Amino acid sequence: MLASKKSLSREETTLVNIEPVGRYGLTPVWEDGHKTGIYTYEKLRAMCECDECRKKRP
């Protein structure tokens, strides 16, 4: 059985770069070197908290 990790290190949570993925999204690069996950522009817009974006939501 694997032990669960309770917290992330500073290196795992420090963003050092954002790389484009094609013409549809971005992938974050973290200080520890991992860069898994693609955030589509559509998903990022849906998560946006600014007043303009929130007004456009149903």
Side-chain angles (χ1 to χ4, degrees):
M1 185 167 141
L2 295 173
S4 64
K5 190 172 182 180
K6 295 189 189 244
S7 63
L8 297 173
S9 69
R10 182 187 62 80
E11 291 83 8
E12 292 172 304
T13 60
T14 301
L15 185 65
V16 295
N17 199 11
I18 299 173
E19 296 177 349
V21 178
R23 295 174 61 181
Y24 62 92
L26 303 169
T27 195
V29 180
W30 304 97
E31 192 171 285
D32 72 346
H34 81 275
K35 57 179 188 175
T36 55
I38 297 171
Y39 294 83
T40 64
Y41 294 123
E42 183 178 320
K43 176 70 172 177
L44 292 169
R45 179 64 68 191
M47 295 186 321
C48 182
E49 296 284 330
C50 80
D51 290 338
E52 183 179 342
C53 289
R54 287 190 315 188
K55 287 178 187 175
K56 292 179 181 178
R57 292 188 193 123

